[in-house]
Amino acid sequence: MTLLSTRAANPDRAGSLAHRTRARRWTELLRTFPDLAEMRVLDLGGTPASWRAAPVRPAQVTVVNIDPGVAGDPEPDVQFLAADACQLPALLPGVEFDLVYSNSLLEHLGGHANRARLAEVVAASASHHWIQTPYRYFPVEPHWLFPGMQWLPFQVRVQISQRWPYGHIRPGGRAKAIRDVAEVELLSATEMRAYFPESDLWFERFAGLPKSLVARK
């Protein structure tokens, strides 16, 4: 990882932008759900490791991620399910949760239909939720850490992805770059409100500018 990406994007590095952002987000999450330690949480798209490092551990967490490689070692209060979060209800019949949590998954689902399905899963799985996604109109694209990349033509974004070494997504060949660029679709506040019409929309800010969106209920 380059020096720039380490300083800016590594959430485990104290003082990094990602570390400060995560700390502020946790403060707001705990303000919204002060009884988090007593809740049964369904995490869509997360990792067990993120909950092991969390400042507050819920009573029970079920993590759903399509990548089985992030499972890690099993723990009594953190369960892992390798599955598609958009197809979840049939896989957890009769299981009840207090809170659905999702961090930076919504922009990776591959189009409106899948985002709508995820919103249905969220509504059906618990009475409360916290769904975060990067804001389309923040001036720096968060996956590549490239200014304004999300507003450029597709071909230009592919060329950037092939060469730009500073973000979470590593450079590679053209085929990889096409897949990476096609897979990321940042959302506007209008879209977020449409998917979660009964939620309060919180704008997470950096330097006064909205950086990400959180639909919470």
Short mmCIF file of all heavy atoms in Angstrom, two decimals, residues 25-26 28-42 51 54-61 98-101 130:
data_model
loop_
_atom_site.label_atom_id
_atom_site.label_comp_id
_atom_site.label_asym_id
_atom_site.label_seq_id
_atom_site.Cartn_x
_atom_site.Cartn_y
_atom_site.Cartn_z
N ARG A 25 -18.28 8.10 13.02
CA ARG A 25 -19.46 7.31 12.66
C ARG A 25 -19.91 6.45 13.84
O ARG A 25 -21.09 6.31 14.10
CB ARG A 25 -19.14 6.45 11.44
CG ARG A 25 -20.35 5.82 10.77
CD ARG A 25 -19.93 5.05 9.54
NE ARG A 25 -19.28 5.92 8.57
CZ ARG A 25 -18.44 5.48 7.63
NH1 ARG A 25 -18.14 4.20 7.54
NH2 ARG A 25 -17.90 6.34 6.78
N TRP A 26 -18.95 5.89 14.56
CA TRP A 26 -19.29 5.09 15.73
C TRP A 26 -19.94 5.94 16.81
O TRP A 26 -20.88 5.51 17.48
CB TRP A 26 -18.05 4.38 16.28
CG TRP A 26 -17.92 2.99 15.77
CD1 TRP A 26 -17.10 2.54 14.78
CD2 TRP A 26 -18.67 1.86 16.22
NE1 TRP A 26 -17.31 1.20 14.58
CE2 TRP A 26 -18.25 0.75 15.45
CE3 TRP A 26 -19.65 1.68 17.20
CZ2 TRP A 26 -18.77 -0.51 15.63
CZ3 TRP A 26 -20.18 0.41 17.37
CH2 TRP A 26 -19.75 -0.67 16.60
N GLU A 28 -21.79 8.55 16.37
CA GLU A 28 -23.16 8.82 15.96
C GLU A 28 -24.02 7.56 16.04
O GLU A 28 -25.20 7.62 16.42
CB GLU A 28 -23.19 9.39 14.54
CG GLU A 28 -24.55 9.84 14.05
CD GLU A 28 -25.11 11.00 14.84
OE1 GLU A 28 -24.34 11.71 15.52
OE2 GLU A 28 -26.35 11.21 14.77
N LEU A 29 -23.44 6.41 15.69
CA LEU A 29 -24.18 5.15 15.80
C LEU A 29 -24.60 4.89 17.24
O LEU A 29 -25.76 4.52 17.50
CB LEU A 29 -23.30 4.00 15.29
CG LEU A 29 -23.87 2.58 15.44
CD1 LEU A 29 -25.11 2.40 14.57
CD2 LEU A 29 -22.81 1.54 15.08
N LEU A 30 -23.69 5.11 18.19
CA LEU A 30 -24.01 4.87 19.59
C LEU A 30 -24.96 5.93 20.14
O LEU A 30 -25.74 5.64 21.05
CB LEU A 30 -22.72 4.84 20.42
CG LEU A 30 -21.81 3.64 20.12
CD1 LEU A 30 -20.48 3.79 20.86
CD2 LEU A 30 -22.50 2.34 20.51
N ARG A 31 -24.90 7.13 19.61
CA ARG A 31 -25.88 8.14 20.02
C ARG A 31 -27.27 7.75 19.53
O ARG A 31 -28.27 7.95 20.24
CB ARG A 31 -25.48 9.50 19.44
CG ARG A 31 -26.29 10.66 20.01
CD ARG A 31 -26.07 11.94 19.24
NE ARG A 31 -26.64 11.89 17.91
CZ ARG A 31 -27.94 12.06 17.65
NH1 ARG A 31 -28.79 12.30 18.63
NH2 ARG A 31 -28.38 12.00 16.42
N THR A 32 -27.35 7.19 18.32
CA THR A 32 -28.64 6.79 17.76
C THR A 32 -29.18 5.54 18.42
O THR A 32 -30.39 5.42 18.66
CB THR A 32 -28.49 6.54 16.24
OG1 THR A 32 -27.92 7.71 15.62
CG2 THR A 32 -29.83 6.25 15.60
N PHE A 33 -28.27 4.59 18.74
CA PHE A 33 -28.67 3.31 19.35
C PHE A 33 -27.85 3.09 20.62
O PHE A 33 -26.89 2.32 20.64
CB PHE A 33 -28.47 2.16 18.37
CG PHE A 33 -29.18 2.32 17.07
CD1 PHE A 33 -28.49 2.59 15.91
CD2 PHE A 33 -30.57 2.21 17.01
CE1 PHE A 33 -29.15 2.74 14.70
CE2 PHE A 33 -31.25 2.37 15.81
CZ PHE A 33 -30.54 2.64 14.65
N PRO A 34 -28.20 3.78 21.71
CA PRO A 34 -27.40 3.69 22.94
C PRO A 34 -27.41 2.30 23.57
O PRO A 34 -26.53 1.99 24.37
CB PRO A 34 -28.05 4.73 23.85
CG PRO A 34 -29.43 4.93 23.32
CD PRO A 34 -29.32 4.73 21.84
N ASP A 35 -28.38 1.47 23.20
CA ASP A 35 -28.43 0.11 23.74
C ASP A 35 -27.84 -0.92 22.77
O ASP A 35 -28.20 -2.10 22.80
CB ASP A 35 -29.88 -0.27 24.07
CG ASP A 35 -30.81 -0.11 22.87
OD1 ASP A 35 -30.40 0.51 21.87
OD2 ASP A 35 -31.95 -0.62 22.94
N LEU A 36 -26.91 -0.50 21.93
CA LEU A 36 -26.30 -1.39 20.94
C LEU A 36 -25.72 -2.66 21.58
O LEU A 36 -25.82 -3.74 21.01
CB LEU A 36 -25.21 -0.65 20.16
CG LEU A 36 -24.49 -1.46 19.08
CD1 LEU A 36 -25.45 -1.84 17.96
CD2 LEU A 36 -23.30 -0.68 18.52
N ALA A 37 -25.15 -2.53 22.75
CA ALA A 37 -24.52 -3.69 23.41
C ALA A 37 -25.53 -4.78 23.74
O ALA A 37 -25.14 -5.94 23.96
CB ALA A 37 -23.80 -3.24 24.68
N GLU A 38 -26.80 -4.45 23.75
CA GLU A 38 -27.83 -5.44 24.08
C GLU A 38 -28.58 -5.93 22.84
O GLU A 38 -29.52 -6.74 22.96
CB GLU A 38 -28.83 -4.82 25.06
CG GLU A 38 -28.18 -4.31 26.34
CD GLU A 38 -29.12 -3.47 27.18
OE1 GLU A 38 -30.33 -3.39 26.81
OE2 GLU A 38 -28.68 -2.89 28.16
N MET A 39 -28.20 -5.46 21.66
CA MET A 39 -28.96 -5.74 20.45
C MET A 39 -28.43 -6.95 19.69
O MET A 39 -27.25 -7.31 19.79
CB MET A 39 -28.96 -4.51 19.53
CG MET A 39 -29.56 -3.27 20.15
SD MET A 39 -29.50 -1.81 19.07
CE MET A 39 -31.00 -2.04 18.12
N ARG A 40 -29.33 -7.57 18.91
CA ARG A 40 -28.97 -8.61 17.95
C ARG A 40 -28.86 -7.93 16.59
O ARG A 40 -29.85 -7.39 16.07
CB ARG A 40 -30.04 -9.70 17.93
CG ARG A 40 -30.19 -10.46 19.25
CD ARG A 40 -31.51 -11.17 19.32
NE ARG A 40 -32.61 -10.20 19.31
CZ ARG A 40 -33.89 -10.54 19.30
NH1 ARG A 40 -34.24 -11.82 19.29
NH2 ARG A 40 -34.83 -9.61 19.30
N VAL A 41 -27.66 -7.96 16.01
CA VAL A 41 -27.35 -7.16 14.83
C VAL A 41 -27.15 -8.08 13.62
O VAL A 41 -26.44 -9.08 13.70
CB VAL A 41 -26.10 -6.30 15.06
CG1 VAL A 41 -25.70 -5.57 13.78
CG2 VAL A 41 -26.34 -5.31 16.19
N LEU A 42 -27.74 -7.69 12.51
CA LEU A 42 -27.50 -8.33 11.21
C LEU A 42 -26.64 -7.37 10.40
O LEU A 42 -27.07 -6.28 10.05
CB LEU A 42 -28.82 -8.61 10.50
CG LEU A 42 -28.72 -9.16 9.08
CD1 LEU A 42 -28.03 -10.52 9.05
CD2 LEU A 42 -30.12 -9.24 8.43
N TRP A 51 -16.09 -6.24 13.77
CA TRP A 51 -16.80 -6.26 15.06
C TRP A 51 -15.86 -6.63 16.19
O TRP A 51 -16.06 -6.21 17.33
CB TRP A 51 -17.98 -7.20 14.98
CG TRP A 51 -19.06 -6.67 14.10
CD1 TRP A 51 -19.34 -7.03 12.82
CD2 TRP A 51 -19.97 -5.61 14.42
NE1 TRP A 51 -20.37 -6.27 12.32
CE2 TRP A 51 -20.78 -5.41 13.28
CE3 TRP A 51 -20.19 -4.83 15.55
CZ2 TRP A 51 -21.79 -4.44 13.25
CZ3 TRP A 51 -21.20 -3.88 15.53
CH2 TRP A 51 -21.98 -3.68 14.39
N ALA A 54 -14.48 -3.42 17.25
CA ALA A 54 -15.46 -2.36 17.53
C ALA A 54 -15.37 -1.88 18.97
O ALA A 54 -15.09 -2.67 19.88
CB ALA A 54 -16.86 -2.88 17.24
N PRO A 55 -15.63 -0.60 19.22
CA PRO A 55 -15.61 -0.09 20.59
C PRO A 55 -16.73 -0.65 21.46
O PRO A 55 -16.62 -0.67 22.68
CB PRO A 55 -15.75 1.42 20.41
CG PRO A 55 -16.35 1.61 19.06
CD PRO A 55 -15.86 0.47 18.23
N VAL A 56 -17.81 -1.10 20.83
CA VAL A 56 -18.93 -1.74 21.55
C VAL A 56 -19.31 -2.99 20.78
O VAL A 56 -19.52 -2.95 19.56
CB VAL A 56 -20.14 -0.79 21.66
CG1 VAL A 56 -21.33 -1.53 22.27
CG2 VAL A 56 -19.80 0.43 22.48
N ARG A 57 -19.40 -4.12 21.49
CA ARG A 57 -19.81 -5.37 20.88
C ARG A 57 -21.28 -5.62 21.18
O ARG A 57 -21.68 -5.67 22.35
CB ARG A 57 -18.97 -6.53 21.42
CG ARG A 57 -17.52 -6.53 20.97
CD ARG A 57 -17.35 -7.15 19.61
NE ARG A 57 -17.55 -8.58 19.63
CZ ARG A 57 -16.57 -9.48 19.78
NH1 ARG A 57 -15.30 -9.07 19.95
NH2 ARG A 57 -16.82 -10.77 19.76
N PRO A 58 -22.11 -5.79 20.17
CA PRO A 58 -23.51 -6.15 20.42
C PRO A 58 -23.61 -7.52 21.08
O PRO A 58 -22.65 -8.31 21.09
CB PRO A 58 -24.12 -6.17 19.01
CG PRO A 58 -23.20 -5.33 18.18
CD PRO A 58 -21.84 -5.55 18.75
N ALA A 59 -24.78 -7.83 21.60
CA ALA A 59 -24.99 -9.12 22.24
C ALA A 59 -24.79 -10.26 21.26
O ALA A 59 -24.25 -11.32 21.61
CB ALA A 59 -26.39 -9.18 22.84
N GLN A 60 -25.23 -10.06 20.01
CA GLN A 60 -25.07 -11.07 18.97
C GLN A 60 -24.98 -10.39 17.61
O GLN A 60 -25.74 -9.46 17.33
CB GLN A 60 -26.26 -12.05 18.98
CG GLN A 60 -26.16 -13.17 17.97
CD GLN A 60 -25.04 -14.14 18.29
OE1 GLN A 60 -24.90 -14.57 19.43
NE2 GLN A 60 -24.23 -14.48 17.30
N VAL A 61 -24.05 -10.83 16.78
CA VAL A 61 -23.90 -10.29 15.43
C VAL A 61 -23.90 -11.44 14.44
O VAL A 61 -23.19 -12.44 14.62
CB VAL A 61 -22.58 -9.49 15.27
CG1 VAL A 61 -22.46 -8.96 13.84
CG2 VAL A 61 -22.51 -8.35 16.27
N ASP A 98 -32.60 -7.05 15.99
CA ASP A 98 -33.00 -5.71 16.46
C ASP A 98 -32.55 -4.62 15.51
O ASP A 98 -33.19 -3.57 15.41
CB ASP A 98 -32.40 -5.45 17.85
CG ASP A 98 -32.83 -6.48 18.86
OD1 ASP A 98 -34.04 -6.68 19.03
OD2 ASP A 98 -31.94 -7.12 19.48
N LEU A 99 -31.43 -4.84 14.81
CA LEU A 99 -30.81 -3.81 13.99
C LEU A 99 -30.15 -4.44 12.77
O LEU A 99 -29.44 -5.43 12.89
CB LEU A 99 -29.75 -3.05 14.80
CG LEU A 99 -28.87 -2.03 14.05
CD1 LEU A 99 -29.70 -0.82 13.63
CD2 LEU A 99 -27.70 -1.60 14.92
N VAL A 100 -30.40 -3.85 11.59
CA VAL A 100 -29.65 -4.19 10.39
C VAL A 100 -28.60 -3.10 10.17
O VAL A 100 -28.93 -1.91 10.14
CB VAL A 100 -30.55 -4.30 9.15
CG1 VAL A 100 -29.71 -4.66 7.92
CG2 VAL A 100 -31.63 -5.35 9.37
N TYR A 101 -27.36 -3.54 10.02
CA TYR A 101 -26.23 -2.62 9.86
C TYR A 101 -25.55 -2.93 8.53
O TYR A 101 -25.35 -4.11 8.19
CB TYR A 101 -25.25 -2.82 11.02
CG TYR A 101 -23.96 -2.04 10.94
CD1 TYR A 101 -23.84 -0.80 11.56
CD2 TYR A 101 -22.86 -2.55 10.26
CE1 TYR A 101 -22.66 -0.09 11.49
CE2 TYR A 101 -21.67 -1.84 10.20
CZ TYR A 101 -21.58 -0.61 10.82
OH TYR A 101 -20.39 0.09 10.75
N TRP A 130 -29.24 0.87 10.12
CA TRP A 130 -28.17 1.87 9.91
C TRP A 130 -27.46 1.46 8.63
O TRP A 130 -26.69 0.51 8.60
CB TRP A 130 -27.22 1.87 11.11
CG TRP A 130 -26.00 2.72 10.96
CD1 TRP A 130 -24.85 2.42 10.28
CD2 TRP A 130 -25.78 4.03 11.54
NE1 TRP A 130 -23.95 3.45 10.39
CE2 TRP A 130 -24.49 4.44 11.16
CE3 TRP A 130 -26.56 4.85 12.35
CZ2 TRP A 130 -23.95 5.66 11.56
CZ3 TRP A 130 -26.02 6.08 12.74
CH2 TRP A 130 -24.73 6.46 12.36
#
